[in-house]
Amino acid sequence: MIFESVLEAEKTMVAMPARAIRTFVWDFADEGVHEVLGRLADSGVNGVHLALACHGGRYYCPHNPKRALVHAPDGALYFQPLLSCYDEIKPRVHPEFGSGAFVARLIESMREYDMIATAWVTLFNNQSLSLAFPECTMVNALGDRLEGTLCPAHPAVRGYAQALVEDLAHRVGVDMIELQDFAFPSHDQFIGARWVDVPVGQGLGYLLSLCFCEHCRRRAEELNLEVDDLAQRVERMLHRALAGDLSERRLNDEIADPYNSLARYAEARAGTITTLVDELNDATDGSHAGLQLVLAEEPDDAWRWGIELHTLRQRRLRATLQPGRGPAPRPTFVSRYAEVLQLGRDLAVDIPLGVPHTDDYSPAGAIQAALESGIDHFVFSHYGLVPLDMLDWIDALARR
C-alpha cells in the first residue's frame, strides 16, 4: 500500500521548479507581496520555498524597508493550524502571522505568477517544543536530555509531525512540503551559546547524539538487542573519550564495526526514520502535495542519523541536497547523492547566496558541480538575507 500511494502521488504532483528561492513570511509582509514576487519572476525564479515552521533567531535583512533585524520565535508556525488535529504536542503559533490570512493570500498570489509554492519546514530541531514537552526530547546514554531536540521515535513527536504535514497539505494548500531535520538530530543542534573546551570529533559527537529514551530502547529491543548492556557500554566510552582516555580513531573503529551492537542499534534508528517518512508521506494522501527531504549530511554518514539512502530511493521521494558553504565545488557530495538516490529531475541542490564560510566558495562553483552531476534544479538561499544584486546569479542561470 505504501508504494501504491507514493506512485499515485507522483501522478498528480507538480513538476519541481528549476529555480526556487528560500523566503520568510516577513519578506513579503514588509516589502510587499507583488513587489517581491515580481522581482523574483524577473530574475527567473519559478518556485518559492516559504518558511512556515522554522528556526528562531536574529535575522539580518539588508534590503528590508521596515527593519534591519528580525527576531523570530523558535519553532513557530506562520499559519493558523487546525488545533484539533494535534494531540499531545500543540504547535506554537507566530503572534503576527498566526491567523493564516496573510499566508493564504500569499500562496494565491504565487499562483498568479505561476510559481510553485513549497512549505519549508523544520521538524525535530525545535527549542521551544523541547522546553514545553521535555519528555519528548532525546536522552543520551549519560541520561542527559538534549534540549532543543525532539526524538522521532516518541509517539507524540511522530503525531505532531504527521498533523503538521497533513495541515500543510490539505488546509494550507501548498504544492510541496520540504522537510528539514526530519531524522535524528545531532547533540550540537542547539540554539544558544555552546561552551566546548574538549575536542568533540565525529565519533564522540555520534555517541553523544545516540538517544536511549524509552521509545528508542523499545524499538531496539524489538530487534532482540540488549539495550541496557549497550547503553552502559556507550556510557563508559563517553566518559573515557571526554576524559581523553579513548581516542577518536578508536571510537570510529568501534562504531564502524558491522558486528558491533552499535551497528544493530543504527538499524533500529534507520527503521524509526523510514517508517516515519512513510507515515508523513501517507499524511499527504488525497492532496496534490508531495514531500521533499533536505539532505545535509555527507552521503556516507547519513546512516548515523537514521537516514537509509537506499530505502529512501525506493520511495521515490524528492530531495534537496544541502552541501552548505564548504569548499567549492564539493563534487563528491552532490555526485554521490545523485548516484545513490537516482531521482533524476526530482533532485535539487541548495545554493547559498550569502557570505561564504570559506574563501573558495562561490555560487558559480556550486552550480557547476551540480550541473556536472546531472542536476539542473536549484534552491537559492535566502532572498531576504542577501543583497538584491545576488539575484543576478539566478537570472544568469535562467539565461543559460
Side-chain angles (χ1 to χ4, degrees), residues 149-160:
T149 69
L150 296 175
C151 179
H154 196 294
V157 174
R158 296 167 79 92
Y160 170 77

Side-chain angles (χ1 to χ4, degrees), residues 310 313 321 332-343 347 373 375:
H310 291 282
R313 168 181 166 179
L321 306 184
T332 56
F333 182 99
V334 175
S335 62
R336 176 65 175 147
Y337 267 121
E339 174 190 356
V340 173
L341 295 175
Q342 295 188 9
L343 291 178
L347 197 59
S373 297
I375 302 174

Side-chain angles (χ1 to χ4, degrees), residues 3 42 49 65 87 90 95 99 114-115 124 140 146 164 180 202 204 269 272 275 305 327 330 357 364 368 387 392 397:
F3 293 106
D42 290 343
H49 288 229
D87 293 326
K90 300 297 184 182
S99 69
D114 294 323
M115 290 191 182
F124 303 137
N140 65 22
L146 302 184
L164 179 57
Q180 190 153 11
Q202 183 184 50
L204 178 54
R269 284 160 60 89
T272 296
T275 54
W305 316 111
R330 288 188 74 192
H357 292 170
Q368 187 60 36
D392 293 343
L397 181 63

Side-chain angles (χ1 to χ4, degrees), residues 60 62-63 353-355 381-391:
Y60 292 73
H63 54 83
L353 295 176
V355 177
S381 302
H382 306 79
Y383 167 77
L385 306 184
V386 299
L388 287 175
D389 60 7
M390 295 303 290
L391 296 180

Side-chain angles (χ1 to χ4, degrees), residues 167-190:
D167 230 354
L168 291 166
H170 294 274
R171 284 172 284 278
V172 179
V174 294
D175 300 305
M176 294 294 299
I177 302 169
E178 186 186 45
L179 301 179
Q180 190 153 11
D181 297 332
F182 66 93
F184 282 97
S186 171
H187 73 99
D188 59 358
Q189 290 182 318
F190 178 73

Side-chain angles (χ1 to χ4, degrees), residues 56-240:
R58 178 181 294 165
Y59 295 80
Y60 292 73
C61 307
H63 54 83
N64 189 306
K66 295 185 177 180
R67 42 191 168 178
L69 298 177
V70 173
H71 295 89
D74 182 61
L77 303 189
Y78 287 76
F79 65 95
Q80 179 58 59
L82 184 61
L83 293 178
S84 61
C85 290
Y86 297 81
D87 293 326
E88 296 180 52
I89 298 180
K90 300 297 184 182
R92 182 182 184 186
V93 180
H94 193 282
E96 183 178 356
F97 302 106
S99 69
F102 181 81
V103 168
R105 293 195 301 270
L106 173 55
I107 292 176
E108 288 179 5
S109 297
M110 291 181 193
R111 310 272 190 249
E112 297 175 15
Y113 287 83
D114 294 323
M115 290 191 182
I116 304 302
T118 298
W120 170 28
V121 174
T122 299
L123 280 182
F124 303 137
N125 183 3
N126 194 311
Q127 182 83 358
S128 63
L129 291 183
S130 77
L131 290 175
F133 304 92
E135 70 280 4
C136 295
T137 60
M138 292 170 52
V139 183
N140 65 22
L142 301 173
D144 302 322
R145 288 201 173 272
L146 302 184
E147 184 180 304
T149 69
L150 296 175
C151 179
H154 196 294
V157 174
R158 296 167 79 92
Y160 170 77
Q162 291 174 54
L164 179 57
V165 168
E166 183 179 344
D167 230 354
L168 291 166
H170 294 274
R171 284 172 284 278
V172 179
V174 294
D175 300 305
M176 294 294 299
I177 302 169
E178 186 186 45
L179 301 179
Q180 190 153 11
D181 297 332
F182 66 93
F184 282 97
S186 171
H187 73 99
D188 59 358
Q189 290 182 318
F190 178 73
I191 298 175
R194 290 186 295 122
W195 299 81
V196 185
D197 287 337
V198 295
V200 180
Q202 183 184 50
L204 178 54
Y206 173 64
L207 294 184
L208 283 170
S209 304
L210 284 181
C211 182
F212 286 92
C213 74
E214 61 174 306
H215 304 286
C216 285
R217 285 172 174 266
R218 185 176 302 122
R219 286 179 174 267
E221 287 167 353
E222 292 172 355
L223 298 179
N224 296 319
L225 188 61
E226 294 292 339
V227 182
D228 288 342
D229 291 344
L230 175 61
Q232 291 172 10
R233 181 173 164 224
V234 172
E235 181 180 2
R236 290 192 297 270
M237 294 170 68
L238 285 173
H239 282 305
R240 292 181 60 198

